């Protein structure tokens, strides 16, 4: 589920834009994979640490509309898009369109 702010309804008493309403839009066909942080190989540091899931990598259908300001509800958690979404474009072998890939991290605080 994509969460995106709609247009601002105006400005507050200090002249700052008021955030628009949050609009939830289904995005069927997405594949979500956990993104992990792994310790450096070797030494006591590796032996004493476990892999920590730091977010998700999302593969959305071709030409999906994803902005850096969007949020996504993934497995019940609200996540922010981290960095620029990448469009895989067309495969030189098959001519079919590839996914739009982006990182999503949980919102905290």
């Amino acid at each position: 589920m994509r969460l995106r702010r709609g247009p601002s309804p105006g400005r507050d008493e200090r002249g700052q834009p008021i955030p628009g309403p949050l609009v939830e839009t289904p995005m069927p066909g997405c594949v979500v994979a956990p993104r992990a942080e792994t310790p450096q190989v070797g030494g006591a540091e590796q032996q004493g640490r476990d892999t920590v899931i730091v977010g998700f990598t999302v593969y959305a259908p071709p030409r999906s509309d994803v902005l850096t300001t969007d949020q996504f509800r993934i497995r019940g958690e609200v996540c922010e898009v981290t960095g620029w979404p990448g469009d895989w474009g067309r495969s030189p072998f098959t001519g079919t369109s590839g996914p739009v890939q982006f990182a999503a991290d949980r919102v905290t605080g």
Side-chain angles (χ1 to χ4, degrees), residues 1-107:
M1 184 76 64
R2 182 185 69 201
L3 300 106
R4 182 179 284 173
R5 291 274 172 201
S8 172
R11 297 191 174 269
D12 65 16
E13 62 277 357
R14 295 184 311 237
Q16 300 298 316
I18 299 170
L22 198 58
V23 178
E24 294 196 32
T25 307
M27 286 194 72
C30 290
V31 175
V32 177
R35 209 173 65 247
E37 176 183 279
T38 54
Q40 296 296 319
V41 176
E45 185 176 312
Q46 182 179 11
Q47 301 304 320
R49 291 183 58 193
D50 291 329
T51 299
V52 178
I53 302 302
V54 296
F56 302 99
T57 299
V58 180
Y59 301 93
R63 295 176 295 286
S64 291
D65 179 22
V66 179
L67 303 175
T68 59
T69 54
D70 288 341
Q71 295 178 326
F72 281 80
R73 190 176 313 281
I74 301 173
R75 300 176 183 163
E77 299 282 340
V78 175
C79 300
E80 293 181 343
V81 173
T82 306
W84 290 98
D87 188 338
W88 282 45
R90 291 200 171 278
S91 167
F93 304 108
T94 65
T96 58
S97 295
V100 173
Q101 177 182 341
F102 60 93
D105 294 305
R106 275 187 257 170
V107 176

